[in-house]
Amino acid sequence: NAGVTQTPKFQVLKTGQSMTLQCAQDMNHEYMSWYRQDPGMGLRLIHYSVGAGITDQGEVPNGYNVSRSTTEDFPLRLLSAAPSQTSVYFCASSYYRSHYEQYFGPGTRLTVT
Amino acid sequence: AQSVTQLGSHVSVSEGALVLLRCNYSSSVPPYLFWYVQYPNQGLQLLLKYTTGATLVKGINGFEAEFKKSETSFHLTKPSAHMSDAAEYFCAVSEGYSTLTFGKGTMLLVSP
């Protein structure tokens, strides 16, 4: 199993550009989430999904969009990038029997200039 | 709403000394509790977790944590620090939802 994979690893955007961060998991986990990590802030939840076709907002959802058409994939869309979205983004998956232990991807480091 | 407080953004110890990283949580229901470690420029790795049962939980790399309900704490300890333990450590809580709430992290610095 590859686990949770994320692409790209690094990305530089200009203010106003849009892009999609890709996330996929091959563990058949029902739950998937997106977190952002900023220095001194820990990890904060952006959006999450409890199954295909079901998504909800987390703590910091503004400026981001998600959809989940399959169990495996959970892309994160930046609609119009802003410098405040410079961060490291982690995708995670989990399942009920794991007591919601998060299995993390390697992260995407995004810089918005 | 659940929350996590990690006391000390940085903790410094000497190699061979006791490591103690503090975590307090608030939760309206019996929580699931986690400690994750992040090495520089890497993702997060699970150290240990508490779900139910024994309140002293052993994890990888010699770390352990004790769930104390009366103190709403889940402190992480290791008897003897190694240089390789230098990393950032995150405490997290789940109230039974599919996501975790994380603390702000504690950077562990280990000096020779």
Side-chain angles (χ1 to χ4, degrees), chain A residues 26 57 83:
Chain A
D26 62 358
Q57 297 181 353

Side-chain angles (χ1 to χ4, degrees), chain B residues 15-33:
Chain B
E15 195 172 20
L18 171 72
V19 175
L20 170 61
L21 304 183
R22 299 178 187 272
C23 173
N24 289 87
Y25 69 91
S26 69
S27 174
S28 58
V29 299
Y32 301 138
L33 294 159

Side-chain angles (χ1 to χ4, degrees), chain B residues 34-51:
Chain B
F34 304 81
W35 276 101
Y36 282 84
V37 61
Q38 185 180 36
Y39 299 101
N41 298 313
Q42 294 191 24
L44 281 86
Q45 178 182 7
L46 181 71
L47 268 181
L48 49 81
K49 66 181 180 183
Y50 168 79
T51 55

Side-chain angles (χ1 to χ4, degrees), chain B residues 78-108:
Chain B
K78 182 174 180 178
S80 177
H82 294 162
M83 296 295 291
S84 60
D85 294 327
E88 190 160 22
Y89 293 79
F90 294 93
C91 182
V93 63
S94 171
E95 288 186 335
Y97 303 116
S98 62
T99 61
L100 301 184
T101 298
F102 285 84
K104 294 185 177 182
T106 298
M107 186 70 71
L108 177 65

Side-chain angles (χ1 to χ4, degrees), chain A residues 31-33 35 37 40-45 48-50 90 94 97-106 109, chain B residues 32 34 36 38 41-46 49 51-52 88 90 94-105:
Chain A
Y31 309 127
M32 295 186 75
S33 305
Y35 297 86
Q37 182 181 21
M41 300 294 290
L43 278 80
R44 294 180 290 169
L45 182 66
Y48 64 100
S49 169
V50 298
F90 288 100
S94 64
R97 291 184 187 278
S98 75
H99 303 98
Y100 310 113
E101 171 190 340
Q102 304 289 289
Y103 292 74
F104 284 94
R109 186 173 294 272
Chain B
Y32 301 138
F34 304 81
Y36 282 84
Q38 185 180 36
N41 298 313
Q42 294 191 24
L44 281 86
Q45 178 182 7
L46 181 71
K49 66 181 180 183
T51 55
T52 58
E88 190 160 22
F90 294 93
S94 171
E95 288 186 335
Y97 303 116
S98 62
T99 61
L100 301 184
T101 298
F102 285 84
K104 294 185 177 182

Side-chain angles (χ1 to χ4, degrees), chain A residues 14-30:
Chain A
K14 295 187 187 302
T15 298
Q17 289 184 317
S18 62
M19 79 159 296
T20 299
L21 307 186
Q22 301 291 346
C23 175
Q25 54 96 5
D26 62 358
M27 298 174 284
N28 202 31
H29 287 175
E30 59 263 46

